[in-house]
Amino acid sequence: MAVPPPARLATRAGTRVTFLLAPTAGGLVLAAGVAGLVPPLPALIAGVGIVALFATAVLWHTAVAIHHDEGAFAACRGAGFIGMSAVAAALTCAVQLLGPPGADIWAAAGVGVTGAFAVLGTMMLPGAAATVAVRLRRAFDGLGLGVSLGFAAYLITPMHRSPWPGLASTLLAAAGVSIVTVIVLRARLHRPAALRCGFGVMTVIIALCTVVNLQISGVEGRLLPLFGLVIAAGLTLAADGGSRRNLPEHLEPKEQDQYLSSYPLLAVPAGVGVVAALIHLVVVGPFNTTAIVLGVSMVAVLTMRELLVVSDIRRYTAQLRVKEAHFRSLVAGATDLTLVLDERLTIRWQSPAAARLFGLAESQVVGRTFLELIHPDDVPGARAGIEALIAGEHADGPPALINARLRDGHGIWRDTESTVADQRSVPEVAALVVHVRDVGERRHLERTLHRLSYTDQLTGLANRRALMRDLLEFRRRAGQQGTLLVIDLHGLAEINDSRGRETGDAVLIEVGRRIKSLLGEDDVAARLGGDEFAVLTPDGAVLAYALATRIVTSVMEPYELPGMIVELHTSVGLAELTGGKDSEEVLRHADLARSRARQLGKDRVEWYDTDVEIQLHRRMDLERELLDAAERGELDVVFQPVVSLRDTQPVGVEALLRWRHPKLGTIMPAELLPIARAVGCAAELDEWVLDQACRHLAGWTAGGSDFWLSVNVAPRELLTARFPERVAETLRRHAIEPERLVVEVQETWIAEDVPAIVASLAGLRKLGVRAALDDFGAGHASLAHLRRLPVDMLKLDQSLVNQPIEQGTTPAVIDVVVSLGRRLGLEIVAKGLESQDHIDRARQAGCHYGQGFVLARPAPAERMEAYLDSHRS
């Protein structure tokens, strides 16, 4: 619980003293006067004096406590003046007892002084009046009321027969009571205390005026102590109401309190005075001097009050003019257009900023409805928002917000945002107020940011976010099938490294342009990031596959850039939109198909199905386990004989790699070698195969010194500078003549770097190692390379041997190849012989040697040694 301040504690203590001691002591004295125990006049003076002294002490103690504790100067002055009025009342009563010369005049003056101090005290108490001007105005209000009532009473009642001191005291008392009444009725703070204080002050003034008039009229006796009791009670109430005040809160006066006052309080008494004057003029006749003075005083007071009102009105009007100028300058310089609408939404006023902001003249706007300015497509939403506001749905909330396009004075639709406030309850407005602002630049920026957030900045295609949004929309369409293509570029990293990223960016832009040129209106092209693109098409499987093939063909075409020509390859994966449970899964399926296509080679297109995912996981498992396969003893070498087609005797063997996987079984070279190249261990495998094959060859007793061994070598291994040295070291370690080793290089790899291949094969020839061109005929430029390559043997691709014979003649391609090989002094080996017809075709073409399943299947070293023993014996 809060602790009261010292001033409040002092006030409470003083109030208790006032209610206990003062009424008790003063009341005993006055009661004695009423009972006739003491003379009436001394009893009046003594009783009133005691109460007045206690009341004065309480009020001054309160004033001092408030002043020292809280600095409320007005509060302490008010309490002090009320205390002085109590002293003046006591002194007025004392004058009656002392009876100096002119006692009647002094008594009348005492009534005036008492009333003046009481008026000042009540006027300065907290909450009574805020400023000096307000106090002066209320003083004139009360003075006009008192003079008007006094004038009417003088004319109508027998007051005009009283002696002039009594008349003066009565008029002064009436003025004081009227002023206090106005002040108390207008009090805004501490109203109960103000009422008690005002009632007590008015009681004191009226009772004191009555006592003075009785004394002047010569009426004495027990009436005086009775009126003394009334004065004592009034002083007690005045002291109580004046002391029960805390520090006043800061309260701004209302404008009508500062400049204007209500007239009923003055109009009625003034009317009564005028009526009384007319009655007196008709009934009695002319006015005496006192009546004229009172009438003139009444008119003067009312005139002064009117002059104050006129001054207030002028001051108020000047302030309104300044405020209006400020308002107009703010409205004219505002960035919003302000409109005032009636309940039918008709525009009654527009701000001066309309011409500057929207080019709208007043004749184009005023008198039309607000909805006529809005775009027809936006009218329903605007109407609904305004109707909801008028219906009261936004009464306790913010104003209605309307986003609509508005036609400006030039006929252009502009994006606007309007706030509609319901000001119908405000009497000065009584309308709907609309604030319209142009948000076109903001909307343009929002649309630009939205477009940028869904666009790849380099190629101008959609980005991943836009693709996923459109993919979700495609899947939601009823009966929509569609296909998603994921495109991966090969070779872009090499272009960035060798040519720079600017060249790589130019290539990406061209790729995006080529892809987009192949698409239809409903297709969506996107760049997922880096070197990955995607296409979303509503086409089914057949058309989507055809589109993917066209994309592969287009991307493969050379890119002619300033000063250079670059080439790219690609892999494409396709997935049906209905094949996944959500958009992310569809994208994952297409990406898995793309990964599978990349594993199988360049420029391939693969569909996603469950087998693709199985094969992909198989490939990933093999890539992970291949690096340690040799250490685990899972790798093996098998040998396939090369047989002379004239006597079916083996002349050599080809070493073939096998991976004996414990779970997946035997992995053939067609699957194994691409995995080895992908993980970067092809060279190590080639060295391992060469070493193992030479070791077995050295251990075989059959075959003779002319029996040779061929091994396959990858281009990367062949092109290393130390490859000839490693071959020589292996042959030396196993004591094998160099002429018995044949290094096979696939013809499809020759085109990668012909000069380097020629140099490497020339280095092997210096050692005595022979070279063979494997799978000859599968490439596109084989014949052009034969004269340059230092090879000793051609191993024909199976496709040449399997060509059909027309009219019992040898196929022209095999005839040309064999004839050319013989002229170059090369030995010819026909591969892939699987039937007796294949043997006959190869023999008829002039091939001396053959290799294939019909002659002998690949076998481990032990079985191959037994085969050689049986066939070479």
Side-chain angles (χ1 to χ4, degrees):
M1 186 173 62
V3 179
R8 189 176 299 177
L9 295 174
T11 300
R12 292 177 180 176
T15 303
R16 293 191 186 98
V17 171
T18 301
F19 276 106
L20 294 176
L21 298 180
T24 302
L28 289 175
V29 175
L30 291 171
V34 173
L37 300 177
V38 294
L41 190 58
L44 171 68
I45 296 171
V48 171
I50 293 172
V51 176
L53 289 176
F54 277 106
T56 303
V58 168
L59 291 169
W60 277 96
H61 181 72
T62 301
V64 172
I66 293 176
H67 179 67
H68 284 293
D69 287 347
E70 302 175 353
F73 185 62
C76 66
R77 282 192 304 174
F81 278 124
I82 293 176
M84 293 175 66
S85 69
V87 173
L91 292 177
T92 302
C93 293
V95 167
Q96 303 296 321
L97 176 63
L98 298 176
D104 296 342
I105 299 174
W106 284 105
V111 173
V113 172
T114 301
F117 281 132
V119 168
L120 290 175
T122 54
M123 190 181 295
M124 291 184 180
L125 288 176
T131 62
V132 176
V134 175
R135 292 169 185 161
L136 185 62
R137 192 174 303 107
R138 291 182 181 175
F140 271 101
D141 289 344
L143 185 60
L145 176 63
V147 172
S148 299
L149 294 178
F151 176 65
Y154 179 81
L155 294 179
I156 296 175
T157 64
M159 186 184 297
H160 58 276
R161 300 189 184 93
S162 301
W164 72 268
L167 178 62
S169 63
T170 301
L171 294 177
L172 291 174
V177 169
S178 299
I179 294 173
V180 171
T181 301
V182 172
I183 293 172
V184 170
L185 293 179
R186 298 280 181 85
R188 299 179 61 193
L189 288 178
H190 311 292
R191 194 168 185 82
L195 292 175
R196 290 197 302 272
C197 180
F199 185 74
V201 167
M202 289 186 288
T203 301
V204 171
I205 293 174
I206 294 173
L208 185 62
C209 177
T210 303
V211 169
V212 170
N213 278 283
L214 290 176
Q215 223 20 51
I216 291 174
S217 302
V219 179
E220 295 185 1
R222 297 179 181 179
L223 288 177
L224 294 180
L226 289 176
F227 282 102
L229 287 173
V230 175
I231 293 174
L235 290 175
T236 302
L237 283 177
D240 176 60
S243 63
R244 289 184 180 270
R245 305 289 179 107
N246 299 326
L247 183 66
E249 298 91 347
H250 179 71
L251 186 66
E252 292 292 337
K254 295 182 179 179
E255 289 185 339
Q256 58 266 32
D257 291 338
Q258 294 182 2
Y259 303 110
L260 303 174
S261 296
S262 56
Y263 287 90
L265 194 63
L266 300 178
V268 174
V272 171
V274 172
V275 171
L278 292 176
I279 293 174
H280 180 83
L281 188 62
V282 173
V283 176
V284 179
F287 299 99
N288 57 18
T289 303
T290 304
I292 293 173
V293 171
L294 290 177
V296 171
S297 299
M298 181 185 69
V299 174
V301 171
L302 294 177
T303 302
M304 288 297 297
R305 182 62 181 85
E306 289 302 319
L307 291 177
L308 288 176
V309 171
V310 171
S311 177
D312 292 342
I313 292 175
R314 288 180 178 177
R315 190 180 301 110
Y316 187 55
T317 303
Q319 290 193 4
L320 288 179
R321 191 180 299 112
V322 172
K323 291 181 179 180
E324 183 179 1
H326 290 170
F327 171 75
R328 288 187 175 276
S329 63
L330 291 175
V331 172
T335 58
D336 293 352
L337 166 64
T338 304
L339 303 174
V340 177
L341 316 179
D342 58 15
E343 291 188 356
R344 292 178 295 180
L345 306 185
T346 303
I347 301 174
R348 298 304 182 190
W349 180 84
Q350 73 168 1
S351 62
R356 175 173 56 85
L357 297 176
F358 292 91
L360 291 172
E362 191 167 340
S363 59
Q364 297 176 287
V365 177
V366 177
R368 301 175 61 187
T369 62
F370 178 61
L371 299 179
E372 293 180 25
L373 304 179
I374 295 178
H375 193 280
D377 295 341
D378 300 333
V379 168
R383 187 192 304 275
I386 297 177
E387 288 178 354
L389 178 70
I390 294 176
E393 295 182 13
H394 297 275
D396 298 330
L401 183 63
I402 297 175
N403 292 300
R405 287 163 290 179
L406 185 140
R407 188 194 298 272
D408 62 9
H410 308 289
I412 301 175
W413 293 108
R414 299 167 67 174
D415 291 325
T416 62
E417 184 180 78
S418 304
T419 54
V420 185
D422 188 0
Q423 300 290 324
R424 292 176 297 170
S425 60
V426 180
E428 293 81 2
V429 181
L432 301 176
V433 180
V434 183
H435 296 278
V436 184
R437 63 188 62 88
D438 186 355
V439 294
E441 184 176 353
R442 189 186 75 189
R443 294 289 169 78
H444 175 70
L445 180 60
E446 291 175 354
R447 287 191 290 266
T448 302
L449 292 176
H450 183 270
R451 185 175 64 255
L452 292 177
S453 65
Y454 286 94
T455 304
D456 179 65
Q457 301 305 305
L458 179 62
T459 62
L461 303 178
N463 58 11
R464 183 187 182 93
R465 178 186 296 179
L467 177 69
M468 299 307 293
R469 178 198 61 190
D470 295 339
L471 179 57
L472 180 61
E473 182 180 352
F474 266 62
R475 287 170 54 85
R476 287 177 176 174
R477 296 176 185 174
Q480 179 68 56
Q481 295 181 355
T483 308
L484 176 64
L485 292 73
V486 173
I487 306 161
D488 188 16
L489 305 180
H490 308 316
L492 184 64
E494 290 76 5
I495 295 176
N496 288 332
D497 295 338
S498 60
R499 308 289 187 177
R501 289 195 172 273
E502 292 183 357
T503 303
D505 291 344
V507 172
L508 286 174
I509 294 173
E510 178 62 17
V511 170
R513 188 196 65 79
R514 292 185 183 182
I515 293 176
K516 193 172 182 180
S517 65
L518 300 173
L519 305 183
E521 295 181 357
D522 298 331
D523 299 335
V524 178
R527 182 185 176 212
L528 299 180
D531 56 0
E532 289 190 4
F533 291 80
V535 173
L536 183 61
T537 176
D539 295 335
V542 176
L543 295 179
Y545 192 88
L547 174 62
T549 304
R550 294 197 302 271
I551 290 175
V552 170
T553 304
S554 178
V555 173
M556 286 175 57
E557 296 179 1
Y559 297 83
E560 298 182 1
L561 301 176
M564 69 187 74
I565 296 178
V566 297
E567 293 182 355
L568 284 180
H569 298 277
T570 185
S571 300
V572 181
L574 297 89
E576 296 180 354
L577 300 187
T578 57
K581 63 180 181 181
D582 54 22
S583 301
E584 290 291 343
E585 189 170 13
V586 172
L587 180 60
R588 186 179 68 86
H589 288 173
D591 195 57
L592 289 175
R594 188 267 313 162
S595 300
R596 182 58 180 167
R598 184 164 188 171
Q599 289 178 354
L600 297 177
K602 299 178 181 178
D603 303 320
R604 293 183 61 94
V605 178
E606 288 292 327
W607 273 97
Y608 170 82
D609 55 28
T610 54
D611 291 338
V612 166
E613 191 163 2
I614 293 174
Q615 293 297 328
L616 183 62
H617 289 301
R618 172 188 172 93
R619 173 69 176 260
M620 295 173 61
D621 293 339
L622 293 178
E623 288 179 354
R624 184 177 63 255
E625 299 175 6
L626 177 59
L627 296 176
D628 300 327
E631 297 179 0
R632 295 193 301 268
E634 298 175 0
L635 297 181
D636 189 14
V637 178
V638 297
F639 300 89
Q640 185 175 23
V642 178
V643 178
S644 173
L645 297 181
R646 289 174 296 184
D647 55 8
T648 67
Q649 291 296 315
V651 296
V653 291
E654 180 181 0
L656 301 173
L657 178 63
R658 296 290 188 268
W659 182 6
R660 311 297 183 183
H661 197 282
K663 296 181 179 179
L664 302 178
T666 301
I667 309 299
M668 303 300 289
E671 183 179 7
L672 175 58
L673 294 180
I675 296 176
R677 289 193 296 269
V679 299
C681 66
E684 289 78 1
L685 289 181
D686 289 343
E687 292 181 11
W688 184 86
V689 171
L690 177 62
D691 183 75
Q692 294 294 318
C694 291
R695 182 174 62 84
H696 289 298
L697 180 64
W700 292 339
T701 58
S705 60
D706 59 344
F707 188 80
W708 44 267
L709 167 70
S710 66
V711 293
N712 292 278
V713 179
R716 185 173 298 179
E717 174 67 10
L718 182 64
L719 296 178
T720 58
R722 296 184 63 252
F723 180 69
E725 298 178 5
R726 286 197 292 269
V727 171
E729 181 183 353
T730 302
L731 294 175
R732 190 168 46 252
R733 184 169 62 250
H734 296 288
I736 298 176
E737 294 82 1
E739 294 79 7
R740 299 183 64 186
L741 178 64
V742 178
V743 175
E744 295 186 11
V745 181
Q746 284 190 1
E747 185 265 345
T748 55
W749 295 343
I750 294 299
E752 293 187 3
D753 194 347
V754 175
I757 295 292
V758 171
S760 180
L761 294 178
L764 292 175
R765 174 168 286 186
K766 290 180 181 180
L767 296 176
V769 177
R770 293 185 295 171
L773 192 58
D774 194 14
D775 294 333
F776 186 77
H780 303 286
S782 302
L783 297 178
H785 296 321
L786 282 180
R787 292 186 179 275
R788 299 180 58 189
L789 294 173
V791 296
D792 305 282
M793 185 182 300
L794 289 182
K795 302 187 76 172
L796 302 182
D797 187 69
Q798 184 180 7
S799 61
L800 297 180
V801 180
N802 293 337
Q803 288 182 355
I805 300 176
E806 298 180 1
Q807 298 179 356
T809 60
T810 305
V813 176
I814 296 180
D815 182 50
V816 172
V817 171
V818 173
S819 175
L820 180 60
R822 283 183 175 182
R823 291 180 182 180
L824 296 176
L826 303 177
E827 297 178 356
I828 310 299
V829 179
K831 290 180 59 177
L833 303 180
E834 298 180 354
S835 65
Q836 186 62 40
D837 291 338
H838 291 171
I839 295 175
D840 295 338
R841 292 173 190 174
R843 185 181 293 114
Q844 292 174 7
C847 297
H848 292 170
Y849 307 109
Q851 182 181 351
F853 289 168
V854 68
L855 298 173
R857 290 182 173 272
E862 295 79 9
R863 293 177 58 186
M864 184 53 57
E865 184 177 7
Y867 172 83
L868 294 177
D869 289 340
S870 63
H871 284 74
R872 297 279 292 186
S873 60

